[in-house]
Amino acid sequence: MGGSRSAVKRAAAAIDRLRPPPPGLVVLIYHRVGGHAPMELDLPTPSFEAQMAHLAEHAAPCTLDEGLATLDRPEEAVGERPVAVTFDDGTADFVEEALPVLVRHRIPVTLYLATAFVEEQRRFPGDGRPLSWGALADACSTGLVTVGSHTHRHALLDRVDRRTAADELDRSVELIAERLGTAPVHFAYPKALAPRDPAVEAEVRARFASAALSGTRPNRPGRTDRWRLSRSPVQRSDGMRYFVAKTTGGLWFEDAARGVLNRWRYRGSRS
Ligand SMILES: [Zn+2]
């Protein structure tokens, strides 16, 4: 697996050299920091620290709202590469491991929260301890954290009906508003699975100012659907080299190869 993964990254980097990624807003996805779980999506803290130091020095880290505002400008006016850092799910390591690093480098972050796990203190798959509402409220008081929705139960919205989707979205919006005092305006699809039913997607569009998928490419000014934002997942095996490529909007081919695999991997599950 490791060998084929690095072969895909090498191929993706070669494709980028032939056709460099265009300018635009890059949105990075993180899941866990601390390196406690043997997962591609759990980064050792020193790697995360090095990545945030790189962003602070070589990119223009921005809030998602600031990044979305750049999409209204002409492409040549985007300026230094805007990068928005996002986290999914709501595990305790967000506050314990990632937040101190983000605060040290003054990097804003959006956390997309699957609210049932926090409300019921239910573990995420892969032994993911959930955050508490209290810890999250403290995190928000840094002024760097925006909380978005990731449904209530981490529902896969490509396989539910309109009523189930609406209920998942409403419960998560209400809980975030009630527990943290601010209703979320941004959304990320669990497992980056886009709805196949336009009625389900309409429920998302009606409630949020943006919705994120995957794609590992920049969001281009004037050509981006804000409810289908591309994001670039950062993986442990990226190391610094492929991380830097992702911050400049590169490696789309890696995502294309993963998309085929994920459709097969999640074919029977609901969350
Ligand atoms: Zn998720």
Side-chain angles (χ1 to χ4, degrees):
M1 190 70 196
S4 68
R5 195 180 287 131
S6 64
V8 168
K9 284 186 206 296
R10 275 199 305 277
I15 290 169
D16 287 346
R17 279 193 293 278
L18 294 174
R19 209 168 59 130
L25 166 66
V26 171
V27 183
L28 299 177
I29 322 179
Y30 289 92
H31 282 81
R32 299 209 202 153
V33 172
H36 304 299
M39 295 162 64
E40 262 291 67
L41 297 175
D42 189 345
L43 264 78
T45 306
S47 308
F48 183 67
E49 172 95 47
Q51 293 178 355
M52 293 306 104
H54 174 89
L55 280 190
E57 193 166 343
H58 300 287
C62 61
T63 65
L64 194 55
D65 283 312
E66 290 163 350
L68 291 171
T70 68
L71 300 180
D72 298 328
R73 296 178 202 152
E75 204 156 82
E76 58 279 10
V78 168
E80 203 191 340
R81 170 106 30 202
V83 178
V85 172
T86 69
F87 273 74
D88 281 7
D89 299 338
T91 45
D93 56 281
F94 173 75
V95 163
E96 293 166 6
E97 302 283 345
L99 192 64
V101 175
L102 293 162
V103 167
R104 203 149 44 237
H105 297 284
R106 305 302 305 161
I107 294 188
V109 60
T110 299
L111 169 64
Y112 295 106
L113 199 63
T115 43
F117 293 82
V118 178
E119 181 68 10
E120 296 159 20
Q121 285 297 294
R122 208 198 298 168
R123 284 194 177 236
F124 288 91
D127 208 26
R129 207 159 29 91
L131 277 166
S132 68
W133 288 115
L136 197 48
D138 288 346
C140 290
S141 72
T142 62
L144 290 172
V145 179
T146 302
V147 176
S149 166
H150 197 44
T151 77
H152 185 55
R153 294 186 199 85
H154 207 267
L156 305 183
L157 295 192
D158 65 334
R159 59 201 69 181
V160 297
D161 61 22
R162 182 179 197 152
R163 270 185 56 185
T164 307
D167 181 54
E168 280 286 334
L169 302 176
D170 285 340
R171 290 186 70 184
S172 91
V173 170
E174 284 160 16
L175 269 173
I176 292 168
E178 205 175 294
R179 301 284 189 245
L180 300 174
T182 314
V185 294
H186 301 293
F187 177 74
Y189 286 100
K191 306 261 191 234
L193 292 167
R196 278 174 286 212
D197 179 355
V200 168
E201 188 166 0
E203 298 290 343
V204 171
R205 288 175 181 259
R207 285 170 179 78
F208 302 102
S210 77
L213 290 163
S214 58
T216 310
R217 52 166 63 88
N219 296 284
R220 301 181 67 177
R223 308 184 183 203
T224 295
D225 178 345
R226 283 154 194 256
W227 291 274
R228 289 195 161 226
L229 288 179
S230 287
R231 291 197 296 169
S232 306
V234 180
Q235 300 172 322
R236 188 188 287 220
S237 62
D238 285 340
M240 211 47 194
R241 177 178 168 204
Y242 294 119
F243 168 77
V244 170
K246 285 179 179 177
T247 66
T248 59
L251 296 193
W252 66 269
F253 177 75
E254 181 189 63
D255 209 284
R258 184 174 43 239
V260 172
L261 182 67
N262 281 355
R263 272 191 292 283
W264 175 80
R265 191 184 284 156
Y266 303 134
R267 67 200 184 285
S269 56
R270 301 194 65 82
S271 68

